[in-house]
Amino acid sequence: KQWYQRRVAITAGLSVAVHACQRGKLSFGQKVLVCGAGPIGLVNMMVAKAGGAFVTITDISESRLAKAKEMGADAIFHVTSRDSRETAEEIVNLSGYSDLTIECTGVESSIGTGLWATKPGGSYVQVGYGKAEVNFPIVAVGIREIDIYGIFRYANCYPKALALVASGAVNVKSLITHRFPLKDALKAFELTKAGTGVKVIIDCDN
């Protein structure tokens, strides 16, 4: 029962990833760049992998990238610069231009990186939200005919998310790094605030 409840708790995030991949028109054999290796970035990586993509994932945290590699990322990139174009060039040197980029941080420099690393005619999906207004290379987007898609949570994606879990195509159990009984809920929130772990579960039955 507890494991069933934990899977349900993660299905909302998984549904966001299903919606993002659908909006970006993910297809088999594509190169996908996921910006951000937090919980949402990781589920996007897993859904893209389940769809037959070669996935590169980025982050500023080496521990999160190690987790992404453990969970099946084809390539990882440690972001150390705020220069979005320079970072994009390094990513392209690592794994080539992406057919589809899924940006999960909402950070301005990461948005720029994602757009610069997307191939001409490619697709870009904005999943992460940060500042209400950001600067990005609009001329490069226009000249290279990159299609930009926004998403707001998800719509009618739960059945597909559940099917991915039920079939074993996506292993959401690997996302759960910490569990706490209800009496230790404060510790769970403090650990999450510190950026430690991936998915932190509070077991309300305990």
Side-chain angles (χ1 to χ4, degrees), residues 23 39 47 64 165:
R23 289 278 286 161
V47 172
R64 284 188 170 186
V165 174

Side-chain angles (χ1 to χ4, degrees), residues 17 20-21 32-36 44 48 100-104 123-125 127:
C21 288
V32 174
L33 172 64
V34 177
C35 297
N44 273 279
L100 168 63
T101 295
I102 303 173
E103 207 295 312
C104 300
S123 298
Y124 173 99
V125 181
V127 177

Side-chain angles (χ1 to χ4, degrees), residues 22-187:
Q22 288 182 161
R23 289 278 286 161
K25 300 177 174 60
L26 173 72
S27 61
F28 187 83
Q30 284 188 322
K31 287 186 177 181
V32 174
L33 172 64
V34 177
C35 297
I40 293 297
L42 291 173
V43 289
N44 273 279
M45 178 196 78
M46 290 193 293
V47 172
K49 289 283 293 179
F54 177 98
V55 182
T56 301
I57 191 165
T58 72
D59 206 276
I60 60 173
S61 167
E62 291 184 289
S63 62
R64 284 188 170 186
L65 289 173
K67 183 66 176 178
K69 190 66 176 177
E70 176 189 315
M71 293 172 62
D74 296 292
I76 57 174
F77 182 86
H78 184 216
V79 178
T80 58
S81 171
R82 287 279 181 174
D83 186 320
S84 60
R85 192 166 188 177
E86 178 184 289
T87 301
E89 288 173 356
E90 293 179 13
I91 293 169
V92 171
N93 288 336
L94 172 69
S95 52
Y97 284 99
S98 61
D99 299 289
L100 168 63
T101 295
I102 303 173
E103 207 295 312
C104 300
T105 73
V107 175
E108 185 173 300
S109 58
S110 181
I111 292 169
T113 293
L115 289 167
W116 281 116
T118 304
K119 76 172 188 179
S123 298
Y124 173 99
V125 181
Q126 188 62 45
V127 177
Y129 290 102
K131 295 190 298 184
E133 296 183 8
V134 298
N135 293 311
F136 67 96
I138 185 63
V139 173
V141 169
I143 291 173
R144 296 162 68 201
E145 298 188 350
I146 295 171
D147 295 327
I148 298 179
Y149 298 92
I151 73 162
F152 180 67
R153 298 179 185 171
Y154 47 86
N156 306 313
C157 296
Y158 251 87
K160 291 180 181 178
L162 290 170
L164 285 169
V165 174
S167 68
V170 168
N171 177 21
V172 293
K173 188 175 183 179
S174 59
L175 285 167
I176 301 172
T177 54
H178 298 82
R179 302 181 184 88
F180 290 90
L182 184 59
K183 66 182 179 63
D184 292 330
L186 181 59
K187 293 180 181 178

